[in-house]
Amino acid sequence: MAHSRIFLRSSAALLAVMFFVAPKVQATTLLIEAEQLEMPGCWEQVMLRGDDVRKFILAGSHSRGAPAAGAIELPKAGKWRLWVRSKDFPADRPGIRQFSVRLGEARSQKTFGKHGQADFDGWSWEDGGTFELKAGPTLIVIGEESTFAARCDALLLDERYQRRAQGI
């Protein structure tokens, strides 16, 4: 009899914990492939084949022309960190192939493409800072300011604004 009371109390406590513990909230991370933006502007879409296929956009000879642009749907308002995957050539005139990025009305203070990293064939994630963004449609603009031959592979927006993007 005593065992059944202990079992009932233990079961009740376990059920209470299961039903009353708040569910974990999943953070949102959005990956935007630059070559998939709706309006490439004067940027060229490039595909390189090798050990793997890499697609990206390249500021052509008219890089001071129209920027690449497109829209995404932000699922919720809040603070987001922007990461931009760009290419630099540390052994061949490093830092001269650069571009800007704008999210909605806010432009990143960072100029991308001059990170000086040689790993991953010169591709690296660059921290674009944090943005306070509204939920709903958000305009992304790459290259309102850019130089010839700047390269952009992808953008990453992450709610975990203290997390660092890494790898290829």
Side-chain angles (χ1 to χ4, degrees):
M1 198 75 151
H3 291 293
S4 59
R5 276 188 241 156
I6 292 173
F7 176 75
L8 286 175
R9 286 184 192 157
S10 298
S11 298
L14 180 60
L15 286 173
V17 168
M18 288 173 53
F19 287 109
F20 295 110
V21 171
K24 291 184 179 180
V25 177
Q26 295 285 328
T28 304
T29 302
L30 303 172
L31 176 68
I32 302 103
E33 296 285 350
E35 72 276 2
Q36 293 180 353
L37 293 174
E38 293 93 343
M39 298 173 287
C42 290
W43 288 65
E44 302 169 26
Q45 296 182 8
V46 177
M47 182 169 60
L48 295 179
R49 295 181 191 269
D51 292 339
D52 59 347
V53 175
R54 176 164 312 277
K55 296 179 182 179
F56 58 92
I57 58 174
L58 167 74
S61 58
H62 298 18
S63 61
R64 301 229 185 252
I72 60 165
E73 185 75 22
L74 280 179
K76 51 188 158 182
K79 192 173 187 177
W80 295 82
R81 180 166 300 279
L82 169 67
W83 292 94
V84 176
R85 191 163 156 73
S86 67
K87 184 167 181 153
D88 196 0
F89 296 81
D92 180 17
R93 297 167 288 162
I96 66 166
R97 303 160 188 94
Q98 50 193 304
F99 59 94
S100 63
V101 173
R102 180 167 51 93
L103 300 175
E105 299 294 318
R107 186 166 161 186
S108 177
Q109 299 298 312
K110 171 88 173 170
T111 301
F112 301 97
K114 54 183 189 174
H115 50 75
Q117 300 297 313
D119 294 343
F120 302 113
D121 194 30
W123 291 100
S124 184
W125 287 105
E126 293 186 81
D127 185 354
T130 57
F131 293 78
E132 196 66 43
L133 299 171
K134 298 177 184 175
T138 302
L139 179 66
I140 295 176
V141 180
I142 298 174
E144 286 177 312
E145 302 269 334
S146 64
T147 58
F148 176 67
R151 291 160 172 85
C152 181
D153 179 27
L155 294 90
L156 186 87
L157 288 172
D158 197 334
E159 276 188 310
R160 295 167 290 189
Y161 51 89
Q162 294 177 339
R163 185 178 137 195
R164 178 166 180 70
Q166 296 179 0
I168 49 177

